[in-house]
Amino acid sequence: MSITTPDDRISTYNPVAATTQFAAGFPVFDNSDIGVTVDSIERFDFTISATYAAGISTDAKAVFSPGITGEVIVFGKRAPRRSSRFVNGGPLPIPDQNLALDTIEAEVQEAARENRRAHKAPYGEEGGVFTASDVENAQANAASAAASAALAAKWAENGDLDVIPGKRASEYWARKAQEWALGGVAGVGSFNSRTGIVVPQNGDYTSAQISRGAGSVENALAAIETDISATKALLLSGIEDLLLSNNSGNPNTHVDIGTGKARVGSVVVANLATLTKRINATWVAGSGNGGLDTGAVAANGTYFLYALRKVSDGSFEAVFSTSATIAGVNVSLLAGYTIVKCIGVVLTNASSVIRPFIMYPRDEYAFVGPIAEVANTTITTTSALLAITVPNGVRVKANLRFMFSSSATTSSALFSDPAQGVLAAGGNNDGGNVGTMQVASGFACGSDEIWTNTSKQIRRVSGATGNMWVWNDGFYFPCGRNA
């Protein structure tokens, strides 16, 4: 008698619209028998809906609120356990017998499923023992092997020596490459079919290439792998969407964070539904709750928004901080969360409320109504700093418009990045970006995108004393969005 039928006890879904219910397409004997992964991350923030008849449910569902998208896998996770005990010599009701056998069948099906997924050794051989480090580094080890094979092939292409009978060419040349690396390319012996002291020729590897990392092929490959890992971490760091906006119901105090993902190296967190955080209360997990890491909201303040990842289930959260770096964020309220990446910034006005803004892809912000930074204010031939309304503590590129007036004709004004140093306006000096006076006391207009210093300042100077007007339409604050 066979007690099992082929069944992996797995149901897979790929909803593109937010979906709340996912059926388990297999019998369930207890609510704890169901597990769920979303985009390969196991989730625990769901409830089970199921009705049981004779100890078995065939309509069990995992229920999420709010709904989710992505690759959703509902799987059986029945732990082997004795759930029935029959009295010796007593009657054995058929439903109880069927339930016991069905339970065993489910456990054996899952054990068979996991066995098929496990590492296997050929018959007659002992299975390998793999540490967690072995499993974690399997991909890197495979890449190292591929690099070794490529290096061996290169050496084989360059050499004309006969390969020892019975030896694989790649193995032979890999060993020769290691010998030459350890001995140095200027050693005696055979090298690329040449003997004696070797004079480098076109196509040879240099000693620096061969001995990269400390003198052996293995060390050279290890050094290269380190470079690749560092580059990969940079390439994988970025933000998809997660655009910020004033909340429609409470625009002065609440910010909405749209769906999207933030990634730094191998750490990624996804926001599956709009999350709202308020800036006028300290941080509490959950949409609509406080968002400040510490203290109280201030007037004319800068608040950087950081994506958080909950360690236990990988879910998304966010926190405001006046710190421009992760290291400066106050984490006293953030137990159980990892700070992933800065995803944006909001500014408050003199009344300590959020300035209305529009956020565009690629980290660009526009104020709802331009900010008049200065109006009819004196500007002279002496360069000076001008503070404007942008984030504090970081360099941003401000989107500015200007107007200049002077009684001196043909004079112009120049607004610039403080990092460029002290400049002088005029055609015979460093130029200008606000017109030139053609009529005494007339007006000239201009616009430019100018990087600020970390104190929210730009520089301004004119070719002759006059008056200036400056409007701020917004700014670019780079966080790493790729779309």
Side-chain angles (χ1 to χ4, degrees):
M1 175 184 73
S2 173
I3 64 170
T4 63
T5 55
D7 189 344
D8 279 343
R9 292 174 61 80
I10 291 176
S11 299
T12 303
Y13 303 89
N14 287 279
V16 295
T19 304
T20 58
Q21 297 189 8
F22 300 89
F26 46 83
V28 172
F29 305 90
D30 187 272
N31 285 358
S32 64
D33 292 354
I34 291 180
V36 180
T37 65
V38 180
D39 292 333
S40 300
I41 298 174
E42 186 166 3
R43 296 281 293 270
F44 303 93
D45 54 335
F46 61 87
T47 58
I48 300 297
S49 170
T51 55
Y52 291 85
I56 303 176
S57 173
T58 58
D59 63 353
K61 302 179 183 66
V63 181
F64 286 84
S65 180
I68 58 176
T69 59
E71 182 186 44
V72 181
I73 296 178
V74 181
F75 63 95
K77 54 185 300 185
R78 171 86 185 172
R81 56 185 180 272
R82 185 71 180 268
S83 56
S84 57
R85 184 81 182 179
F86 305 110
V87 178
N88 188 26
L92 180 55
I94 294 301
D96 293 348
Q97 182 180 15
N98 286 336
L99 176 60
L101 291 175
D102 288 342
T103 303
I104 294 173
E105 178 182 41
E107 293 170 357
V108 173
Q109 286 170 335
E110 292 183 14
R113 176 191 71 197
E114 300 308 315
N115 185 55
R116 287 192 294 275
R117 298 175 60 224
H119 170 75
K120 301 180 181 66
Y123 286 109
E125 296 183 13
E126 293 291 332
V129 177
F130 299 96
T131 66
S133 177
D134 292 334
V135 176
E136 180 181 3
N137 297 325
Q139 185 174 1
N141 292 337
S144 176
S148 297
L151 180 60
K154 281 290 185 184
W155 282 106
E157 291 171 5
N158 290 337
D160 297 325
L161 292 179
D162 293 333
V163 176
I164 298 173
K167 295 289 186 180
R168 294 184 295 273
S170 60
E171 176 187 353
Y172 175 78
W173 287 107
R175 292 184 183 278
K176 295 298 290 183
Q178 184 176 14
E179 292 172 11
W180 290 325
L182 290 172
V185 294
V188 295
S190 177
F191 178 83
N192 282 7
S193 301
R194 307 193 298 277
T195 57
I197 300 300
V198 176
V199 178
Q201 296 180 6
N202 186 35
D204 288 345
Y205 287 96
T206 68
S207 58
Q209 288 172 320
I210 295 173
S211 62
R212 170 81 193 281
S216 72
V217 172
E218 288 85 353
N219 288 336
L221 290 173
I224 293 170
E225 287 172 10
T226 299
D227 293 344
I228 292 173
S229 297
T231 302
K232 183 178 179 181
L234 291 174
L235 293 175
L236 291 178
S237 297
I239 305 171
E240 296 177 11
D241 299 324
L242 295 179
L243 296 180
L244 315 184
S245 60
N246 295 90
N247 177 263
S248 59
N250 299 283
N252 291 336
T253 55
H254 291 52
V255 169
D256 291 339
I257 307 165
T259 58
K261 296 179 181 179
R263 178 192 294 270
V264 175
S266 60
V267 179
V268 60
V269 64
N271 185 27
L272 304 178
T274 298
L275 178 71
T276 302
K277 302 302 289 186
R278 55 186 295 190
I279 203 169
N280 60 342
T282 51
W283 187 88
V284 176
S287 188
N289 292 333
L292 275 179
D293 63 340
T294 187
V297 64
N300 298 315
T302 299
Y303 293 91
F304 300 93
L305 187 63
Y306 293 89
L308 305 178
R309 185 180 188 275
K310 191 174 183 179
V311 175
S312 62
D313 61 14
S315 58
F316 178 89
E317 254 294 341
V319 63
F320 287 107
S321 176
T322 57
S323 172
T325 64
I326 289 178
V329 177
N330 189 313
V331 298
S332 60
L333 301 175
L334 306 180
Y337 287 84
T338 298
I339 304 175
V340 178
K341 188 173 179 60
C342 181
I343 60 172
V345 64
V346 297
L347 306 179
T348 59
N349 63 15
S351 300
S352 301
V353 301
I354 300 171
R355 290 185 180 275
F357 68 95
I358 302 168
M359 185 178 187
Y360 298 103
R362 298 192 181 277
D363 299 324
E364 295 180 356
Y365 299 75
F367 294 117
V368 178
I371 296 174
E373 302 288 4
V374 292
N376 203 22
T377 300
T378 300
I379 182 172
T380 71
T381 58
T382 301
S383 178
L385 294 168
L386 173 66
I388 60 175
T389 308
V390 292
N392 186 40
V394 292
R395 279 169 55 85
V396 303
K397 183 186 285 186
N399 185 11
L400 304 174
R401 290 180 289 116
F402 317 101
M403 193 162 70
F404 170 60
S405 179
S406 175
S407 60
T409 59
T410 70
S411 63
S412 61
L414 175 61
F415 296 82
S416 61
D417 178 356
Q420 294 179 278
V422 175
L423 305 180
N428 295 322
N429 295 303
D430 299 308
N433 49 13
V434 189
T436 57
M437 295 296 100
Q438 301 302 313
V439 178
S441 299
F443 294 91
C445 295
S447 64
D448 208 347
E449 294 180 333
I450 299 175
W451 283 95
T452 69
N453 60 20
T454 57
S455 298
K456 309 193 298 183
Q457 297 168 324
I458 62 172
R459 276 200 171 274
R460 86 293 190 282
V461 68
S462 58
T465 298
N467 294 85
M468 63 177 174
W469 291 254
V470 178
W471 292 270
N472 186 349
D473 288 317
F475 56 89
Y476 164 70
F477 169 54
C479 280
R481 280 177 176 77
N482 51 26

